[in-house]
Amino acid sequence: MYDVIIIGGGAAGTMAAGRSASKGKRVCLLEKNPVIGKKILITGKGRCNFTNASDVKEHIANCPVNGKFITNALFRFNPEETRAFFLGMGVESKVERGNRVFPVSDKACDIAAALEKYMAQGNVTIINDQAQNLAKINGLFTVLGQGNQKYQAHKLIIATGGKSYPSTGSTGDGYRFAKKMGHKPS
């Protein structure tokens, strides 16, 4: 039994896991890939441009599609705070053309390692399993993994990504899970 189950070990899932654990929650992260942050590792041609060095309004204005969608998130955790977070995890950053921010090392694996460190600080349980199905019964979320393995929690975060890069695990599972929980596309 956990306080929070997170399905998906990419950037959003690992940050959500680390943050939840830092608030004293018992967290389980389910990731179907054998490594955490598979898409992070290929971002920016393996260098991981993890934020931009611009203010929030400029950042939103430069989003090619629906910048309003990320407005709330960026005002709660802006690019400057993102850089400070990673510096606190031991990752120095640099700004390149277009205000793109990369690790000084030019290694995306440093970003993935920082996120794993963040989760380890909160004792996040990381399980290599693929969520097959889920349900909410009597206020508890139950996630069924492979072989009918059951994981239960009071809260559920679906952070599986979209369908953008199927070879990294972004196969659209989250859409199916969200629909099952009653969410509709906007």
Side-chain angles (χ1 to χ4, degrees):
M1 174 65 73
Y2 298 94
D3 295 313
V4 183
I5 294 174
I6 298 162
I7 303 172
T14 54
M15 279 298 286
R19 181 67 175 162
S20 297
S22 77
K23 295 293 185 180
K25 303 298 182 192
R26 290 167 296 150
V27 180
C28 173
L29 177 82
L30 294 178
E31 171 53 48
K32 65 183 175 182
N33 288 311
V35 297
I36 295 294
K38 194 169 182 180
K39 198 184 300 181
I40 293 169
L41 298 173
I42 62 171
T43 301
K45 298 180 182 175
R47 297 173 56 220
C48 193
N49 50 308
F50 63 93
T51 192
N52 281 17
S54 57
D55 68 29
V56 174
K57 289 180 182 178
E58 180 183 357
H59 198 88
I60 293 165
N62 288 322
C63 287
V65 179
N66 197 9
K68 288 183 179 182
F69 177 77
I70 62 170
T71 299
N72 191 33
L74 284 175
F75 274 106
R76 287 176 176 247
F77 194 66
N78 65 47
E80 187 176 305
E81 291 168 319
T82 302
R83 290 182 75 185
F85 167 81
F86 282 105
L87 182 59
M89 290 288 123
V91 180
E92 293 184 45
S93 60
K94 62 183 178 178
V95 179
E96 294 188 2
R97 70 177 168 78
N99 286 329
R100 295 174 303 151
V101 178
F102 294 90
V104 168
S105 66
D106 283 331
K107 294 179 182 176
C109 62
D110 290 348
I111 297 296
L115 291 168
E116 287 193 55
K117 178 180 176 182
Y118 186 42
M119 291 189 296
Q121 289 174 346
N123 296 312
V124 171
T125 300
I126 301 170
I127 300 174
N128 182 227
D129 195 356
Q130 182 172 357
Q132 303 292 318
N133 203 353
L134 53 90
K136 186 174 184 184
I137 302 167
N138 297 326
L140 283 179
F141 290 97
T142 299
V143 179
L144 291 177
Q146 295 177 334
N148 288 322
Q149 181 66 39
K150 286 185 183 179
Y151 308 96
Q152 291 187 309
H154 300 284
K155 304 285 182 187
L156 173 70
I157 298 172
I158 301 169
T160 58
K163 294 182 180 183
S164 62
Y165 216 120
S167 66
T168 64
S170 294
T171 56
D173 296 343
Y175 297 125
R176 178 173 51 93
F177 296 143
K179 185 176 181 180
K180 183 154 180 108
M181 291 293 100
H183 296 281
K184 294 177 176 62
S186 55

